[in-house]
Amino acid sequence: MSSTLLKRRKLLTIFTNQYILFTKIKTPLNPCPQNPIFQNPFRVLRVSQFSTKFPEYEMPSVTWGVVQGKKEKLVNRVKICDYLKSLGIIPDELESLELPSTVEVMEGRVSFLQRLGLTIDDINEYPLMLGCSMRKNMIPVLSYLEKIGIQKSKLGEFVKNYPQVLHASVVVELMPVIKFLRGLDVEKQDIGYVLMKYPELLGFKLEGTMSTSVAYLVSIGVNPRDIGPMVTQYPYFLGMRVGTMIKPLVDYLVSLGLPIKILARMLEKRVYILGYDLEETVKPNVDCLVSFGIRRELLAMVIAQYPQIIGLPLKAKMSSQQYFFNLKLKIDPEGLARVVEKMPQVVSLNQHVILKPVEFLLGRGLSSEDVAKMVVKCPQLVACRVELMKNSYYFFKSQMGRPMKELVEFPEYFTYSLESRIKPRYERLQSKGIRSSLNWFLNCSDQRFEERLQGDYIESESLGPSFCMGGKLELPGSEIVSDEEDESDDEVLYRRTVSL
């Protein structure tokens, strides 16, 4: 009986104690018995019935550390947002951004940006810059920018204009762009200047817009060696799409009669005309020129002489000059159109500058009608310096002793240098006893002048060079030049066409 009670007590002890239940006895078949609790570490066991009633003394759960970390981050995030709000920074855009672990780190970032010269308003323009680490982002990027030529005092302005640069990788994103610019023959000392003008270049992909715009310009005849200076002058064309911006403008200018070679030379010297909006600026300005009397066949010559004219507020300028020329110079609208065809820069010329040479001529006894004829025939008169005109006029009256009628017939006299052309040539004529018109001995090259002096007869006067749309420059006597010679000098003739 006692043995039976003893067995029952042992069984009750085993069933009431789970640790004894899981204990395995070492046997020859199982020399290393394992507790099933440790066989599956991810298995969740039910809490023992002997668990304490006080939770603070319980063993922590598996997720306790993670839950506590999230709470800490949430608390720190609230503190950082409160700090930013106290400075006047709106943290709404930072919701999806990982912020630093402490307020002290954020204070350091804000202080660093303010020392660069950024204001709270600047930070509010792009608050995402506060997500950049000083050690990993800000300091390496700014150090590199200073190394490539951006002055330390202008780093704040650079970041203000292009704050996205703080997210960039120096090795992966910035250095390849600088290498690309150097490959375009942009001078090393000009890199900083180019980036200050157009900092967004640092965000472009090399195989994208920059490469295609350069390739297209070279394909239409732009000299590859001029790409570097073009980038320095106007880097914005590197960000223009060929299909939507550059090519439509080029095609339109060519359709006006502008030879593609001359257009290429224009772009080499004044690449900023690519920035003129075709629909809103260029086409309305061309229509404006036609409406003011400029002949369509001469539009290309006008644009070639003064490319900026297609980007000006032209209607207002033309209206103002038309009124001024009619009132002060007695030149009618048709006469102004002829002036613009010969010298389109007159649309931008200050009216006070125009009046000075006109008043000088009127003061020499010329009538307003004669002065108007002179200006229409030679618009360059209105841009001459009065001091030089006085010297030339004094020589004309005292040394040459010629009538004023010759000045009216050849007003270009005032555009030549007195010391280098007028005096030497006049003295040569006097020594040979030759008397000729002003046009005959002034409106020719030195070589042609010598040929005329050596000749036994007075060559008849001829017009100067003329520009023919769609063809080559025709010079007097060009009929004696063979086709082969003409072709070989093709580029030279085109360069003579336009004085850029």
Side-chain angles (χ1 to χ4, degrees):
M1 184 70 178
S2 60
S3 62
T4 304
L5 290 173
L6 183 61
K7 290 180 181 179
R8 289 180 64 186
R9 286 179 182 176
K10 288 181 179 180
L11 289 172
L12 286 172
T13 303
I14 291 173
F15 284 116
T16 56
N17 193 334
Q18 63 178 354
Y19 297 104
I20 298 175
L21 179 66
F22 291 135
T23 303
K24 290 192 176 181
I25 300 172
K26 182 178 180 180
T27 64
L29 296 176
N30 187 16
C32 299
Q34 295 182 350
N35 194 318
I37 296 175
F38 304 104
Q39 286 182 349
N40 187 1
F42 299 99
R43 182 180 178 186
V44 180
L45 298 177
R46 191 174 61 180
V47 179
S48 171
Q49 62 180 352
F50 296 100
S51 176
T52 177
K53 296 180 180 180
F54 302 98
E56 59 265 29
Y57 293 106
E58 290 183 3
M59 291 294 290
S61 66
V62 177
T63 59
W64 178 83
V66 178
V67 172
Q68 191 65 21
K70 286 183 178 179
K71 289 181 180 179
E72 286 183 357
K73 287 183 179 180
L74 186 59
V75 171
N76 287 331
R77 193 176 191 89
V78 172
K79 290 180 180 179
I80 291 172
C81 290
D82 290 341
Y83 165 70
L84 294 177
K85 289 179 181 178
S86 68
L87 297 177
I89 299 174
I90 303 172
D92 295 348
E93 295 186 29
L94 303 178
E95 291 181 359
S96 59
L97 201 66
E98 184 178 354
L99 297 180
S101 57
T102 63
V103 176
E104 288 74 18
V105 176
M106 181 59 74
E107 287 179 354
R109 294 182 184 180
V110 174
S111 177
F112 182 80
L113 293 172
Q114 288 180 325
R115 287 198 302 272
L116 277 178
L118 272 69
T119 64
I120 297 299
D121 291 336
D122 297 332
I123 297 176
N124 275 326
E125 288 291 327
Y126 189 76
L128 296 179
M129 70 176 72
L130 295 175
C132 297
S133 168
M134 286 178 56
R135 183 175 61 86
K136 296 179 180 179
N137 298 97
M138 296 185 186
I139 293 176
V141 167
L142 295 176
S143 299
Y144 182 71
L145 292 177
E146 188 176 358
K147 179 182 176 181
I148 61 177
I150 298 178
Q151 299 177 14
K152 190 173 183 179
S153 59
K154 294 185 177 180
L155 286 175
E157 180 185 349
F158 187 90
V159 173
K160 178 181 177 180
N161 293 332
Y162 187 58
Q164 293 88 345
V165 73
L166 296 178
H167 299 286
S169 166
V170 172
V171 177
V172 178
E173 296 173 283
L174 302 187
M175 292 180 68
V177 174
I178 302 305
K179 186 177 180 180
F180 177 81
L181 294 176
R182 294 287 290 122
L184 294 178
D185 285 341
V186 178
E187 298 293 336
K188 188 175 181 180
Q189 64 269 20
D190 293 332
I191 293 290
Y193 172 77
V194 169
L195 293 179
M196 284 299 297
K197 289 182 70 174
Y198 195 33
E200 289 83 359
L201 279 178
L202 293 174
F204 290 157
K205 300 296 182 182
L206 302 185
E207 65 278 5
T209 307
M210 290 198 293
S211 298
T212 54
S213 59
V214 171
Y216 177 75
L217 291 176
V218 172
S219 72
I220 65 173
V222 173
N223 191 335
R225 292 181 176 272
D226 288 319
I227 295 293
M230 290 166 64
V231 172
T232 304
Q233 177 193 139
Y234 190 76
Y236 307 101
F237 79 87
L238 291 177
M240 297 178 181
R241 294 186 178 275
V242 172
T244 58
M245 296 187 69
I246 301 179
K247 190 175 184 299
L249 179 61
V250 170
D251 291 344
Y252 178 72
L253 294 177
V254 171
S255 71
L256 294 177
L258 197 64
I260 193 68
K261 288 187 177 182
I262 292 180
L263 180 56
R265 302 291 85 78
M266 286 169 52
L267 294 177
E268 289 172 1
K269 302 301 181 183
R270 293 180 173 84
V271 64
Y272 54 80
I273 66 176
L274 291 176
Y276 297 153
D277 189 275
L278 178 60
E279 298 297 332
E280 295 184 5
T281 304
V282 177
K283 287 184 178 180
N285 279 356
V286 170
D287 294 338
C288 176
L289 289 172
V290 174
S291 67
F292 275 89
I294 310 301
R295 290 169 287 185
R296 283 193 174 274
E297 61 270 21
L298 296 181
L299 282 174
M301 185 177 70
V302 170
I303 296 172
Q305 292 183 79
Y306 190 46
Q308 298 96 310
I309 200 169
I310 60 176
L312 296 173
L314 193 56
K315 187 173 183 180
K317 287 183 174 292
M318 287 291 292
S319 299
S320 175
Q321 295 295 57
Q322 188 180 77
Y323 177 79
F324 172 77
F325 271 68
N326 194 20
L327 180 66
K328 298 292 185 179
L329 278 65
K330 309 303 179 185
I331 296 177
D332 58 16
E334 184 179 352
L336 176 62
R338 304 292 83 78
V339 169
V340 173
E341 289 173 354
K342 296 175 182 177
M343 184 180 147
Q345 293 86 347
V346 75
V347 301
S348 301
L349 207 57
N350 190 289
Q351 295 176 355
H352 295 290
V353 174
I354 296 173
L355 273 180
K356 289 181 179 179
V358 170
E359 291 174 347
F360 168 78
L361 294 174
L362 291 174
R364 305 284 83 78
L366 292 170
S367 65
S368 58
E369 290 78 10
D370 287 339
V371 173
K373 290 179 183 178
M374 294 171 70
V375 171
V376 172
K377 188 175 182 182
C378 179
Q380 289 77 11
L381 275 179
V382 298
C384 290
R385 291 175 55 189
V386 175
E387 295 78 8
L388 299 179
M389 293 180 69
K390 287 180 179 178
N391 295 335
S392 297
Y393 178 78
Y394 178 78
F395 183 82
F396 176 83
K397 292 298 292 182
S398 62
Q399 299 297 322
M400 295 185 181
R402 299 194 175 203
M404 295 292 289
K405 181 182 177 182
E406 291 197 27
L407 285 180
V408 176
E409 293 175 351
F410 190 70
E412 292 89 344
Y413 169 82
F414 289 105
T415 64
Y416 295 107
S417 169
L418 176 63
E419 298 299 331
S420 63
R421 175 164 291 199
I422 299 176
K423 273 186 180 181
R425 292 192 179 185
Y426 179 73
E427 290 171 357
R428 294 288 303 280
L429 290 178
Q430 289 295 96
S431 64
K432 287 186 170 290
I434 298 175
R435 179 174 177 82
S436 67
S437 67
L438 297 175
N439 185 17
W440 187 86
F441 79 90
L442 291 177
N443 188 23
C444 61
S445 65
D446 291 337
Q447 181 180 353
R448 181 60 62 89
F449 178 70
E450 292 296 331
E451 291 174 355
R452 288 176 175 178
L453 290 181
Q454 299 300 326
D456 296 330
Y457 62 94
I458 300 295
E459 181 184 358
S460 60
E461 296 181 7
S462 59
L463 298 175
S466 61
F467 185 86
C468 299
M469 292 298 101
K472 298 180 177 62
L473 183 69
E474 295 184 1
L475 298 173
S478 61
E479 62 277 359
I480 63 174
V481 180
S482 65
D483 292 337
E484 291 77 16
E485 292 175 341
D486 197 33
E487 283 297 323
S488 64
D489 292 336
D490 183 61
E491 184 65 25
V492 177
L493 293 176
Y494 272 118
R495 285 188 178 275
R496 288 181 184 173
T497 305
V498 183
S499 174
L500 289 173

